[in-house]
Every structure is written in structure tokens, then in C-alpha cells.
PDB file of all heavy atoms in Angstrom:
ATOM      1  N   LEU E   8     -62.935  -7.254  95.428  1.00 88.00           N
ATOM      2  CA  LEU E   8     -61.837  -6.326  95.144  1.00 88.00           C
ATOM      3  C   LEU E   8     -61.013  -6.058  96.398  1.00 88.00           C
ATOM      4  O   LEU E   8     -59.775  -6.147  96.382  1.00 88.00           O
ATOM      5  CB  LEU E   8     -62.403  -5.018  94.580  1.00 88.00           C
ATOM      6  CG  LEU E   8     -61.404  -3.860  94.437  1.00 88.00           C
ATOM      7  CD1 LEU E   8     -60.318  -4.209  93.436  1.00 88.00           C
ATOM      8  CD2 LEU E   8     -62.126  -2.581  94.035  1.00 88.00           C
ATOM      9  N   THR E   9     -61.679  -5.742  97.492  1.00 90.00           N
ATOM     10  CA  THR E   9     -60.960  -5.435  98.736  1.00 90.00           C
ATOM     11  C   THR E   9     -60.290  -6.679  99.311  1.00 90.00           C
ATOM     12  O   THR E   9     -59.205  -6.580  99.895  1.00 90.00           O
ATOM     13  CB  THR E   9     -61.928  -4.832  99.752  1.00 90.00           C
ATOM     14  OG1 THR E   9     -63.093  -5.681  99.880  1.00 90.00           O
ATOM     15  CG2 THR E   9     -62.384  -3.450  99.310  1.00 90.00           C
ATOM     16  N   ILE E  10     -60.905  -7.834  99.170  1.00 90.00           N
ATOM     17  CA  ILE E  10     -60.286  -9.075  99.659  1.00 90.00           C
ATOM     18  C   ILE E  10     -59.010  -9.368  98.881  1.00 90.00           C
ATOM     19  O   ILE E  10     -57.984  -9.738  99.455  1.00 90.00           O
ATOM     20  CB  ILE E  10     -61.281 -10.242  99.546  1.00 90.00           C
ATOM     21  CG1 ILE E  10     -62.444 -10.048 100.526  1.00 90.00           C
ATOM     22  CG2 ILE E  10     -60.586 -11.580  99.810  1.00 90.00           C
ATOM     23  CD1 ILE E  10     -63.546 -11.073 100.379  1.00 90.00           C
ATOM     24  N   MET E  11     -59.059  -9.186  97.550  1.00 91.00           N
ATOM     25  CA  MET E  11     -57.878  -9.443  96.731  1.00 91.00           C
ATOM     26  C   MET E  11     -56.724  -8.517  97.110  1.00 91.00           C
ATOM     27  O   MET E  11     -55.566  -8.946  97.220  1.00 91.00           O
ATOM     28  CB  MET E  11     -58.229  -9.267  95.254  1.00 91.00           C
ATOM     29  CG  MET E  11     -57.101  -9.632  94.276  1.00 91.00           C
ATOM     30  SD  MET E  11     -55.789  -8.375  94.102  1.00 91.00           S
ATOM     31  CE  MET E  11     -56.746  -6.962  93.558  1.00 91.00           C
ATOM     32  N   VAL E  12     -57.020  -7.243  97.341  1.00 90.00           N
ATOM     33  CA  VAL E  12     -55.977  -6.285  97.692  1.00 90.00           C
ATOM     34  C   VAL E  12     -55.314  -6.672  99.007  1.00 90.00           C
ATOM     35  O   VAL E  12     -54.085  -6.571  99.158  1.00 90.00           O
ATOM     36  CB  VAL E  12     -56.570  -4.862  97.760  1.00 90.00           C
ATOM     37  CG1 VAL E  12     -55.552  -3.881  98.324  1.00 90.00           C
ATOM     38  CG2 VAL E  12     -57.026  -4.409  96.383  1.00 90.00           C
ATOM     39  N   LEU E  13     -56.093  -7.155  99.963  1.00 90.00           N
ATOM     40  CA  LEU E  13     -55.536  -7.578 101.247  1.00 90.00           C
ATOM     41  C   LEU E  13     -54.679  -8.824 101.100  1.00 90.00           C
ATOM     42  O   LEU E  13     -53.554  -8.887 101.615  1.00 90.00           O
ATOM     43  CB  LEU E  13     -56.669  -7.828 102.243  1.00 90.00           C
ATOM     44  CG  LEU E  13     -56.241  -8.371 103.618  1.00 90.00           C
ATOM     45  CD1 LEU E  13     -55.332  -7.374 104.328  1.00 90.00           C
ATOM     46  CD2 LEU E  13     -57.449  -8.703 104.468  1.00 90.00           C
ATOM     47  N   VAL E  14     -55.176  -9.828 100.390  1.00 90.00           N
ATOM     48  CA  VAL E  14     -54.442 -11.085 100.234  1.00 90.00           C
ATOM     49  C   VAL E  14     -53.145 -10.871  99.459  1.00 90.00           C
ATOM     50  O   VAL E  14     -52.103 -11.437  99.792  1.00 90.00           O
ATOM     51  CB  VAL E  14     -55.333 -12.127  99.535  1.00 90.00           C
ATOM     52  CG1 VAL E  14     -54.539 -13.388  99.194  1.00 90.00           C
ATOM     53  CG2 VAL E  14     -56.522 -12.490 100.430  1.00 90.00           C
ATOM     54  N   ALA E  15     -53.188 -10.036  98.413  1.00 89.00           N
ATOM     55  CA  ALA E  15     -52.002  -9.826  97.577  1.00 89.00           C
ATOM     56  C   ALA E  15     -50.866  -9.173  98.341  1.00 89.00           C
ATOM     57  O   ALA E  15     -49.693  -9.359  98.003  1.00 89.00           O
ATOM     58  CB  ALA E  15     -52.376  -8.977  96.355  1.00 89.00           C
ATOM     59  N   GLN E  16     -51.184  -8.404  99.394  1.00 88.00           N
ATOM     60  CA  GLN E  16     -50.135  -7.690 100.138  1.00 88.00           C
ATOM     61  C   GLN E  16     -49.806  -8.336 101.470  1.00 88.00           C
ATOM     62  O   GLN E  16     -48.975  -7.816 102.224  1.00 88.00           O
ATOM     63  CB  GLN E  16     -50.575  -6.241 100.391  1.00 88.00           C
ATOM     64  CG  GLN E  16     -50.809  -5.442  99.133  1.00 88.00           C
ATOM     65  CD  GLN E  16     -51.098  -3.991  99.457  1.00 88.00           C
ATOM     66  OE1 GLN E  16     -50.209  -3.193  99.678  1.00 88.00           O
ATOM     67  NE2 GLN E  16     -52.371  -3.655  99.486  1.00 88.00           N
ATOM     68  N   PHE E  17     -50.416  -9.464 101.773  1.00 85.00           N
ATOM     69  CA  PHE E  17     -50.240 -10.067 103.100  1.00 85.00           C
ATOM     70  C   PHE E  17     -48.782 -10.398 103.374  1.00 85.00           C
ATOM     71  O   PHE E  17     -48.298 -10.238 104.498  1.00 85.00           O
ATOM     72  CB  PHE E  17     -51.107 -11.328 103.205  1.00 85.00           C
ATOM     73  CG  PHE E  17     -51.059 -11.975 104.563  1.00 85.00           C
ATOM     74  CD1 PHE E  17     -51.792 -11.458 105.610  1.00 85.00           C
ATOM     75  CD2 PHE E  17     -50.275 -13.093 104.794  1.00 85.00           C
ATOM     76  CE1 PHE E  17     -51.746 -12.034 106.868  1.00 85.00           C
ATOM     77  CE2 PHE E  17     -50.218 -13.688 106.031  1.00 85.00           C
ATOM     78  CZ  PHE E  17     -50.961 -13.158 107.080  1.00 85.00           C
ATOM     79  N   ALA E  18     -48.046 -10.881 102.358  1.00 81.00           N
ATOM     80  CA  ALA E  18     -46.651 -11.291 102.560  1.00 81.00           C
ATOM     81  C   ALA E  18     -45.679 -10.114 102.538  1.00 81.00           C
ATOM     82  O   ALA E  18     -44.501 -10.294 102.865  1.00 81.00           O
ATOM     83  CB  ALA E  18     -46.254 -12.306 101.487  1.00 81.00           C
ATOM     84  N   TYR E  19     -46.150  -8.913 102.197  1.00 84.00           N
ATOM     85  CA  TYR E  19     -45.249  -7.778 102.041  1.00 84.00           C
ATOM     86  C   TYR E  19     -45.460  -6.703 103.102  1.00 84.00           C
ATOM     87  O   TYR E  19     -44.688  -5.756 103.159  1.00 84.00           O
ATOM     88  CB  TYR E  19     -45.429  -7.148 100.653  1.00 84.00           C
ATOM     89  CG  TYR E  19     -45.210  -8.118  99.521  1.00 84.00           C
ATOM     90  CD1 TYR E  19     -46.279  -8.771  98.913  1.00 84.00           C
ATOM     91  CD2 TYR E  19     -43.922  -8.406  99.070  1.00 84.00           C
ATOM     92  CE1 TYR E  19     -46.078  -9.673  97.884  1.00 84.00           C
ATOM     93  CE2 TYR E  19     -43.723  -9.304  98.047  1.00 84.00           C
ATOM     94  CZ  TYR E  19     -44.807  -9.936  97.456  1.00 84.00           C
ATOM     95  OH  TYR E  19     -44.602 -10.834  96.435  1.00 84.00           O
ATOM     96  N   MET E  20     -46.484  -6.849 103.920  1.00 86.00           N
ATOM     97  CA  MET E  20     -46.789  -5.832 104.913  1.00 86.00           C
ATOM     98  C   MET E  20     -46.626  -6.380 106.326  1.00 86.00           C
ATOM     99  O   MET E  20     -46.805  -7.580 106.559  1.00 86.00           O
ATOM    100  CB  MET E  20     -48.235  -5.332 104.719  1.00 86.00           C
ATOM    101  CG  MET E  20     -48.418  -4.490 103.468  1.00 86.00           C
ATOM    102  SD  MET E  20     -47.477  -2.939 103.566  1.00 86.00           S
ATOM    103  CE  MET E  20     -47.569  -2.386 101.861  1.00 86.00           C
ATOM    104  N   PRO E  21     -46.295  -5.516 107.300  1.00 85.00           N
ATOM    105  CA  PRO E  21     -46.235  -5.963 108.699  1.00 85.00           C
ATOM    106  C   PRO E  21     -47.577  -6.504 109.173  1.00 85.00           C
ATOM    107  O   PRO E  21     -48.633  -6.122 108.657  1.00 85.00           O
ATOM    108  CB  PRO E  21     -45.838  -4.676 109.449  1.00 85.00           C
ATOM    109  CG  PRO E  21     -45.194  -3.810 108.428  1.00 85.00           C
ATOM    110  CD  PRO E  21     -45.875  -4.119 107.128  1.00 85.00           C
ATOM    111  N   ALA E  22     -47.523  -7.370 110.156  1.00 86.00           N
ATOM    112  CA  ALA E  22     -48.736  -8.059 110.602  1.00 86.00           C
ATOM    113  C   ALA E  22     -49.781  -7.091 111.135  1.00 86.00           C
ATOM    114  O   ALA E  22     -50.983  -7.247 110.876  1.00 86.00           O
ATOM    115  CB  ALA E  22     -48.375  -9.096 111.673  1.00 86.00           C
ATOM    116  N   TRP E  23     -49.343  -6.046 111.877  1.00 88.00           N
ATOM    117  CA  TRP E  23     -50.316  -5.128 112.461  1.00 88.00           C
ATOM    118  C   TRP E  23     -50.996  -4.251 111.418  1.00 88.00           C
ATOM    119  O   TRP E  23     -52.139  -3.851 111.585  1.00 88.00           O
ATOM    120  CB  TRP E  23     -49.662  -4.270 113.535  1.00 88.00           C
ATOM    121  CG  TRP E  23     -48.310  -3.750 113.182  1.00 88.00           C
ATOM    122  CD1 TRP E  23     -48.015  -2.633 112.459  1.00 88.00           C
ATOM    123  CD2 TRP E  23     -47.060  -4.351 113.517  1.00 88.00           C
ATOM    124  NE1 TRP E  23     -46.658  -2.482 112.322  1.00 88.00           N
ATOM    125  CE2 TRP E  23     -46.040  -3.515 112.973  1.00 88.00           C
ATOM    126  CE3 TRP E  23     -46.684  -5.487 114.232  1.00 88.00           C
ATOM    127  CZ2 TRP E  23     -44.687  -3.814 113.113  1.00 88.00           C
ATOM    128  CZ3 TRP E  23     -45.335  -5.774 114.370  1.00 88.00           C
ATOM    129  CH2 TRP E  23     -44.362  -4.944 113.819  1.00 88.00           C
ATOM    130  N   VAL E  24     -50.293  -3.962 110.317  1.00 88.00           N
ATOM    131  CA  VAL E  24     -50.927  -3.209 109.229  1.00 88.00           C
ATOM    132  C   VAL E  24     -51.980  -4.077 108.550  1.00 88.00           C
ATOM    133  O   VAL E  24     -53.093  -3.623 108.262  1.00 88.00           O
ATOM    134  CB  VAL E  24     -49.872  -2.720 108.218  1.00 88.00           C
ATOM    135  CG1 VAL E  24     -50.542  -2.038 107.035  1.00 88.00           C
ATOM    136  CG2 VAL E  24     -48.887  -1.769 108.886  1.00 88.00           C
ATOM    137  N   SER E  25     -51.638  -5.352 108.290  1.00 88.00           N
ATOM    138  CA  SER E  25     -52.618  -6.271 107.706  1.00 88.00           C
ATOM    139  C   SER E  25     -53.810  -6.464 108.626  1.00 88.00           C
ATOM    140  O   SER E  25     -54.949  -6.627 108.173  1.00 88.00           O
ATOM    141  CB  SER E  25     -51.956  -7.615 107.399  1.00 88.00           C
ATOM    142  OG  SER E  25     -50.906  -7.472 106.461  1.00 88.00           O
ATOM    143  N   LEU E  26     -53.563  -6.441 109.940  1.00 91.00           N
ATOM    144  CA  LEU E  26     -54.656  -6.635 110.904  1.00 91.00           C
ATOM    145  C   LEU E  26     -55.653  -5.489 110.861  1.00 91.00           C
ATOM    146  O   LEU E  26     -56.867  -5.715 110.858  1.00 91.00           O
ATOM    147  CB  LEU E  26     -54.082  -6.792 112.311  1.00 91.00           C
ATOM    148  CG  LEU E  26     -55.114  -6.990 113.430  1.00 91.00           C
ATOM    149  CD1 LEU E  26     -55.935  -8.245 113.185  1.00 91.00           C
ATOM    150  CD2 LEU E  26     -54.421  -7.049 114.784  1.00 91.00           C
ATOM    151  N   ILE E  27     -55.165  -4.255 110.810  1.00 90.00           N
ATOM    152  CA  ILE E  27     -56.089  -3.122 110.752  1.00 90.00           C
ATOM    153  C   ILE E  27     -56.848  -3.112 109.436  1.00 90.00           C
ATOM    154  O   ILE E  27     -58.021  -2.732 109.379  1.00 90.00           O
ATOM    155  CB  ILE E  27     -55.335  -1.782 110.978  1.00 90.00           C
ATOM    156  CG1 ILE E  27     -56.331  -0.643 111.179  1.00 90.00           C
ATOM    157  CG2 ILE E  27     -54.402  -1.478 109.828  1.00 90.00           C
ATOM    158  CD1 ILE E  27     -57.158  -0.764 112.418  1.00 90.00           C
ATOM    159  N   TRP E  28     -56.183  -3.551 108.347  1.00 90.00           N
ATOM    160  CA  TRP E  28     -56.897  -3.676 107.079  1.00 90.00           C
ATOM    161  C   TRP E  28     -57.979  -4.747 107.160  1.00 90.00           C
ATOM    162  O   TRP E  28     -59.051  -4.597 106.587  1.00 90.00           O
ATOM    163  CB  TRP E  28     -55.913  -4.021 105.957  1.00 90.00           C
ATOM    164  CG  TRP E  28     -55.056  -2.884 105.549  1.00 90.00           C
ATOM    165  CD1 TRP E  28     -55.206  -1.571 105.893  1.00 90.00           C
ATOM    166  CD2 TRP E  28     -53.896  -2.942 104.716  1.00 90.00           C
ATOM    167  NE1 TRP E  28     -54.219  -0.809 105.336  1.00 90.00           N
ATOM    168  CE2 TRP E  28     -53.399  -1.609 104.607  1.00 90.00           C
ATOM    169  CE3 TRP E  28     -53.236  -3.966 104.061  1.00 90.00           C
ATOM    170  CZ2 TRP E  28     -52.265  -1.311 103.855  1.00 90.00           C
ATOM    171  CZ3 TRP E  28     -52.105  -3.668 103.310  1.00 90.00           C
ATOM    172  CH2 TRP E  28     -51.626  -2.353 103.221  1.00 90.00           C
ATOM    173  N   LEU E  29     -57.691  -5.842 107.858  1.00 91.00           N
ATOM    174  CA  LEU E  29     -58.695  -6.899 108.023  1.00 91.00           C
ATOM    175  C   LEU E  29     -59.908  -6.376 108.785  1.00 91.00           C
ATOM    176  O   LEU E  29     -61.050  -6.707 108.452  1.00 91.00           O
ATOM    177  CB  LEU E  29     -58.077  -8.087 108.755  1.00 91.00           C
ATOM    178  CG  LEU E  29     -59.005  -9.274 109.035  1.00 91.00           C
ATOM    179  CD1 LEU E  29     -59.551  -9.846 107.735  1.00 91.00           C
ATOM    180  CD2 LEU E  29     -58.275 -10.357 109.827  1.00 91.00           C
ATOM    181  N   ILE E  30     -59.664  -5.546 109.800  1.00 90.00           N
ATOM    182  CA  ILE E  30     -60.781  -4.951 110.536  1.00 90.00           C
ATOM    183  C   ILE E  30     -61.606  -4.051 109.625  1.00 90.00           C
ATOM    184  O   ILE E  30     -62.851  -4.097 109.639  1.00 90.00           O
ATOM    185  CB  ILE E  30     -60.245  -4.159 111.746  1.00 90.00           C
ATOM    186  CG1 ILE E  30     -59.580  -5.110 112.742  1.00 90.00           C
ATOM    187  CG2 ILE E  30     -61.368  -3.380 112.414  1.00 90.00           C
ATOM    188  CD1 ILE E  30     -58.910  -4.398 113.900  1.00 90.00           C
ATOM    189  N   MET E  31     -60.943  -3.265 108.804  1.00 89.00           N
ATOM    190  CA  MET E  31     -61.662  -2.403 107.871  1.00 89.00           C
ATOM    191  C   MET E  31     -62.430  -3.237 106.854  1.00 89.00           C
ATOM    192  O   MET E  31     -63.556  -2.878 106.462  1.00 89.00           O
ATOM    193  CB  MET E  31     -60.684  -1.468 107.164  1.00 89.00           C
ATOM    194  CG  MET E  31     -59.927  -0.532 108.100  1.00 89.00           C
ATOM    195  SD  MET E  31     -58.703   0.526 107.282  1.00 89.00           S
ATOM    196  CE  MET E  31     -59.783   1.771 106.565  1.00 89.00           C
ATOM    197  N   LEU E  32     -61.854  -4.365 106.434  1.00 88.00           N
ATOM    198  CA  LEU E  32     -62.552  -5.251 105.498  1.00 88.00           C
ATOM    199  C   LEU E  32     -63.792  -5.855 106.140  1.00 88.00           C
ATOM    200  O   LEU E  32     -64.841  -5.978 105.492  1.00 88.00           O
ATOM    201  CB  LEU E  32     -61.593  -6.350 105.029  1.00 88.00           C
ATOM    202  CG  LEU E  32     -62.173  -7.411 104.083  1.00 88.00           C
ATOM    203  CD1 LEU E  32     -62.702  -6.765 102.811  1.00 88.00           C
ATOM    204  CD2 LEU E  32     -61.112  -8.458 103.741  1.00 88.00           C
ATOM    205  N   LEU E  33     -63.696  -6.232 107.410  1.00 89.00           N
ATOM    206  CA  LEU E  33     -64.863  -6.771 108.111  1.00 89.00           C
ATOM    207  C   LEU E  33     -65.971  -5.726 108.220  1.00 89.00           C
ATOM    208  O   LEU E  33     -67.156  -6.067 108.155  1.00 89.00           O
ATOM    209  CB  LEU E  33     -64.459  -7.270 109.495  1.00 89.00           C
ATOM    210  CG  LEU E  33     -63.531  -8.499 109.518  1.00 89.00           C
ATOM    211  CD1 LEU E  33     -63.150  -8.851 110.946  1.00 89.00           C
ATOM    212  CD2 LEU E  33     -64.191  -9.690 108.829  1.00 89.00           C
ATOM    213  N   VAL E  34     -65.589  -4.474 108.371  1.00 86.00           N
ATOM    214  CA  VAL E  34     -66.597  -3.405 108.397  1.00 86.00           C
ATOM    215  C   VAL E  34     -67.285  -3.299 107.037  1.00 86.00           C
ATOM    216  O   VAL E  34     -68.509  -3.103 106.959  1.00 86.00           O
ATOM    217  CB  VAL E  34     -65.939  -2.069 108.789  1.00 86.00           C
ATOM    218  CG1 VAL E  34     -66.952  -0.931 108.688  1.00 86.00           C
ATOM    219  CG2 VAL E  34     -65.380  -2.146 110.205  1.00 86.00           C
ATOM    220  N   ILE E  35     -66.521  -3.428 105.965  1.00 84.00           N
ATOM    221  CA  ILE E  35     -67.109  -3.397 104.621  1.00 84.00           C
ATOM    222  C   ILE E  35     -68.082  -4.560 104.444  1.00 84.00           C
ATOM    223  O   ILE E  35     -69.190  -4.393 103.905  1.00 84.00           O
ATOM    224  CB  ILE E  35     -65.997  -3.444 103.557  1.00 84.00           C
ATOM    225  CG1 ILE E  35     -65.111  -2.203 103.655  1.00 84.00           C
ATOM    226  CG2 ILE E  35     -66.594  -3.553 102.155  1.00 84.00           C
ATOM    227  CD1 ILE E  35     -63.896  -2.240 102.748  1.00 84.00           C
ATOM    228  N   VAL E  36     -67.692  -5.753 104.897  1.00 84.00           N
ATOM    229  CA  VAL E  36     -68.584  -6.921 104.809  1.00 84.00           C
ATOM    230  C   VAL E  36     -69.843  -6.698 105.645  1.00 84.00           C
ATOM    231  O   VAL E  36     -70.964  -7.015 105.208  1.00 84.00           O
ATOM    232  CB  VAL E  36     -67.836  -8.187 105.268  1.00 84.00           C
ATOM    233  CG1 VAL E  36     -68.785  -9.381 105.316  1.00 84.00           C
ATOM    234  CG2 VAL E  36     -66.658  -8.483 104.341  1.00 84.00           C
ATOM    235  N   TRP E  37     -69.682  -6.146 106.836  1.00 82.00           N
ATOM    236  CA  TRP E  37     -70.845  -5.873 107.691  1.00 82.00           C
ATOM    237  C   TRP E  37     -71.798  -4.886 107.024  1.00 82.00           C
ATOM    238  O   TRP E  37     -73.015  -5.039 107.103  1.00 82.00           O
ATOM    239  CB  TRP E  37     -70.357  -5.321 109.028  1.00 82.00           C
ATOM    240  CG  TRP E  37     -71.474  -4.946 109.957  1.00 82.00           C
ATOM    241  CD1 TRP E  37     -72.184  -5.769 110.771  1.00 82.00           C
ATOM    242  CD2 TRP E  37     -72.020  -3.628 110.146  1.00 82.00           C
ATOM    243  NE1 TRP E  37     -73.133  -5.053 111.456  1.00 82.00           N
ATOM    244  CE2 TRP E  37     -73.060  -3.745 111.100  1.00 82.00           C
ATOM    245  CE3 TRP E  37     -71.724  -2.372 109.613  1.00 82.00           C
ATOM    246  CZ2 TRP E  37     -73.795  -2.648 111.531  1.00 82.00           C
ATOM    247  CZ3 TRP E  37     -72.461  -1.277 110.034  1.00 82.00           C
ATOM    248  CH2 TRP E  37     -73.478  -1.424 110.980  1.00 82.00           C
ATOM    249  N   ARG E  38     -71.241  -3.892 106.360  1.00 78.00           N
ATOM    250  CA  ARG E  38     -72.088  -2.921 105.663  1.00 78.00           C
ATOM    251  C   ARG E  38     -72.907  -3.596 104.575  1.00 78.00           C
ATOM    252  O   ARG E  38     -74.069  -3.251 104.352  1.00 78.00           O
ATOM    253  CB  ARG E  38     -71.226  -1.820 105.038  1.00 78.00           C
ATOM    254  CG  ARG E  38     -70.764  -0.762 106.003  1.00 78.00           C
ATOM    255  CD  ARG E  38     -70.549   0.546 105.277  1.00 78.00           C
ATOM    256  NE  ARG E  38     -71.786   1.049 104.690  1.00 78.00           N
ATOM    257  CZ  ARG E  38     -71.850   2.042 103.810  1.00 78.00           C
ATOM    258  NH1 ARG E  38     -70.738   2.626 103.404  1.00 78.00           N
ATOM    259  NH2 ARG E  38     -73.002   2.433 103.323  1.00 78.00           N
ATOM    260  N   TYR E  39     -72.317  -4.549 103.870  1.00 75.00           N
ATOM    261  CA  TYR E  39     -73.039  -5.189 102.770  1.00 75.00           C
ATOM    262  C   TYR E  39     -74.172  -6.070 103.294  1.00 75.00           C
ATOM    263  O   TYR E  39     -75.298  -6.020 102.785  1.00 75.00           O
ATOM    264  CB  TYR E  39     -72.084  -6.028 101.931  1.00 75.00           C
ATOM    265  CG  TYR E  39     -72.802  -6.863 100.888  1.00 75.00           C
ATOM    266  CD1 TYR E  39     -73.327  -6.264  99.740  1.00 75.00           C
ATOM    267  CD2 TYR E  39     -73.004  -8.226 101.069  1.00 75.00           C
ATOM    268  CE1 TYR E  39     -74.005  -7.013  98.801  1.00 75.00           C
ATOM    269  CE2 TYR E  39     -73.679  -8.977 100.127  1.00 75.00           C
ATOM    270  CZ  TYR E  39     -74.178  -8.366  98.995  1.00 75.00           C
ATOM    271  OH  TYR E  39     -74.859  -9.107  98.068  1.00 75.00           O
ATOM    272  N   PHE E  40     -73.898  -6.884 104.308  1.00 73.00           N
ATOM    273  CA  PHE E  40     -74.890  -7.864 104.750  1.00 73.00           C
ATOM    274  C   PHE E  40     -75.922  -7.288 105.710  1.00 73.00           C
ATOM    275  O   PHE E  40     -77.055  -7.767 105.754  1.00 73.00           O
ATOM    276  CB  PHE E  40     -74.187  -9.043 105.420  1.00 73.00           C
ATOM    277  CG  PHE E  40     -73.502  -9.963 104.439  1.00 73.00           C
ATOM    278  CD1 PHE E  40     -72.141  -9.920 104.270  1.00 73.00           C
ATOM    279  CD2 PHE E  40     -74.244 -10.862 103.683  1.00 73.00           C
ATOM    280  CE1 PHE E  40     -71.511 -10.759 103.363  1.00 73.00           C
ATOM    281  CE2 PHE E  40     -73.624 -11.715 102.776  1.00 73.00           C
ATOM    282  CZ  PHE E  40     -72.259 -11.654 102.617  1.00 73.00           C
ATOM    283  N   TYR E  41     -75.545  -6.275 106.487  1.00 70.00           N
ATOM    284  CA  TYR E  41     -76.454  -5.834 107.545  1.00 70.00           C
ATOM    285  C   TYR E  41     -76.823  -4.361 107.488  1.00 70.00           C
ATOM    286  O   TYR E  41     -77.877  -3.975 107.973  1.00 70.00           O
ATOM    287  CB  TYR E  41     -75.831  -6.119 108.923  1.00 70.00           C
ATOM    288  CG  TYR E  41     -75.559  -7.578 109.148  1.00 70.00           C
ATOM    289  CD1 TYR E  41     -74.270  -8.073 109.072  1.00 70.00           C
ATOM    290  CD2 TYR E  41     -76.600  -8.457 109.410  1.00 70.00           C
ATOM    291  CE1 TYR E  41     -74.017  -9.428 109.272  1.00 70.00           C
ATOM    292  CE2 TYR E  41     -76.366  -9.810 109.617  1.00 70.00           C
ATOM    293  CZ  TYR E  41     -75.070 -10.288 109.537  1.00 70.00           C
ATOM    294  OH  TYR E  41     -74.819 -11.619 109.723  1.00 70.00           O
ATOM    295  N   ALA E  42     -75.974  -3.513 106.935  1.00 59.00           N
ATOM    296  CA  ALA E  42     -76.264  -2.079 107.002  1.00 59.00           C
ATOM    297  C   ALA E  42     -75.798  -1.367 105.749  1.00 59.00           C
ATOM    298  O   ALA E  42     -75.135  -0.330 105.815  1.00 59.00           O
ATOM    299  CB  ALA E  42     -75.608  -1.471 108.239  1.00 59.00           C
ATOM    300  N   ALA E  43     -76.142  -1.914 104.591  1.00 52.00           N
ATOM    301  CA  ALA E  43     -75.660  -1.327 103.336  1.00 52.00           C
ATOM    302  C   ALA E  43     -76.208   0.077 103.118  1.00 52.00           C
ATOM    303  O   ALA E  43     -75.584   0.890 102.437  1.00 52.00           O
ATOM    304  CB  ALA E  43     -76.046  -2.227 102.167  1.00 52.00           C
ATOM    305  N   LEU E  44     -77.393   0.375 103.695  1.00 50.00           N
ATOM    306  CA  LEU E  44     -78.006   1.680 103.466  1.00 50.00           C
ATOM    307  C   LEU E  44     -77.760   2.647 104.613  1.00 50.00           C
ATOM    308  O   LEU E  44     -78.235   3.778 104.574  1.00 50.00           O
ATOM    309  CB  LEU E  44     -79.516   1.511 103.242  1.00 50.00           C
ATOM    310  CG  LEU E  44     -79.902   0.639 102.039  1.00 50.00           C
ATOM    311  CD1 LEU E  44     -81.421   0.520 101.949  1.00 50.00           C
ATOM    312  CD2 LEU E  44     -79.345   1.201 100.753  1.00 50.00           C
ATOM    313  N   LYS E  45     -77.043   2.198 105.652  1.00 59.00           N
ATOM    314  CA  LYS E  45     -76.795   3.052 106.808  1.00 59.00           C
ATOM    315  C   LYS E  45     -75.352   3.551 106.791  1.00 59.00           C
ATOM    316  O   LYS E  45     -74.427   2.758 106.640  1.00 59.00           O
ATOM    317  CB  LYS E  45     -77.062   2.290 108.100  1.00 59.00           C
ATOM    318  CG  LYS E  45     -78.504   1.818 108.248  1.00 59.00           C
ATOM    319  CD  LYS E  45     -78.685   1.051 109.541  1.00 59.00           C
ATOM    320  CE  LYS E  45     -80.113   0.547 109.679  1.00 59.00           C
ATOM    321  NZ  LYS E  45     -80.289  -0.228 110.932  1.00 59.00           N
ATOM    322  N   PRO E  46     -75.145   4.833 106.957  1.00 61.00           N
ATOM    323  CA  PRO E  46     -73.772   5.341 106.969  1.00 61.00           C
ATOM    324  C   PRO E  46     -73.037   4.944 108.240  1.00 61.00           C
ATOM    325  O   PRO E  46     -73.626   4.801 109.307  1.00 61.00           O
ATOM    326  CB  PRO E  46     -73.966   6.857 106.877  1.00 61.00           C
ATOM    327  CG  PRO E  46     -75.319   7.098 107.464  1.00 61.00           C
ATOM    328  CD  PRO E  46     -76.158   5.904 107.093  1.00 61.00           C
ATOM    329  N   ILE E  47     -71.733   4.769 108.122  1.00 69.00           N
ATOM    330  CA  ILE E  47     -70.894   4.456 109.257  1.00 69.00           C
ATOM    331  C   ILE E  47     -70.580   5.738 110.021  1.00 69.00           C
ATOM    332  O   ILE E  47     -70.426   6.811 109.429  1.00 69.00           O
ATOM    333  CB  ILE E  47     -69.594   3.774 108.795  1.00 69.00           C
ATOM    334  CG1 ILE E  47     -69.919   2.449 108.101  1.00 69.00           C
ATOM    335  CG2 ILE E  47     -68.644   3.527 109.950  1.00 69.00           C
ATOM    336  CD1 ILE E  47     -70.535   1.407 109.004  1.00 69.00           C
TER     337      ILE E  47
END
């Protein structure tokens, strides 16, 4: 879901906004694979 939202808006948003969203997406991925039960 989060990957789709990022990809769908990539062509409509400034690069730095997409970049911060990518960082937030990587945090979501990290939570799933390594720390799903630990709060950020």
C-alpha cells in the first residue's frame, strides 16, 4: 500500500518530498523485517 502511494505520486511531487517519503517507507520496511514488535 505504501509503495503504491509513493510510486503513484513520484511524477507529481518535488524530488525532495519524494525522498523524505522514501526514507519513511524504508523505516516501515525495517519495522516489518527487523523490529515489527518494537516501537519507533
Side-chain angles (χ1 to χ4, degrees):
L8 171 64
T9 51
I10 292 174
M11 185 282 302
V12 172
L13 176 62
V14 173
Q16 299 186 82
F17 183 79
Y19 303 96
M20 289 295 167
W23 43 84
V24 175
S25 299
L26 179 60
I27 191 65
W28 287 348
L29 179 60
I30 295 175
M31 299 177 78
L32 178 59
L33 293 177
V34 175
I35 297 173
V36 174
W37 177 82
R38 281 208 62 192
Y39 172 74
F40 285 103
Y41 300 104
L44 300 178
K45 298 179 181 179
I47 298 295

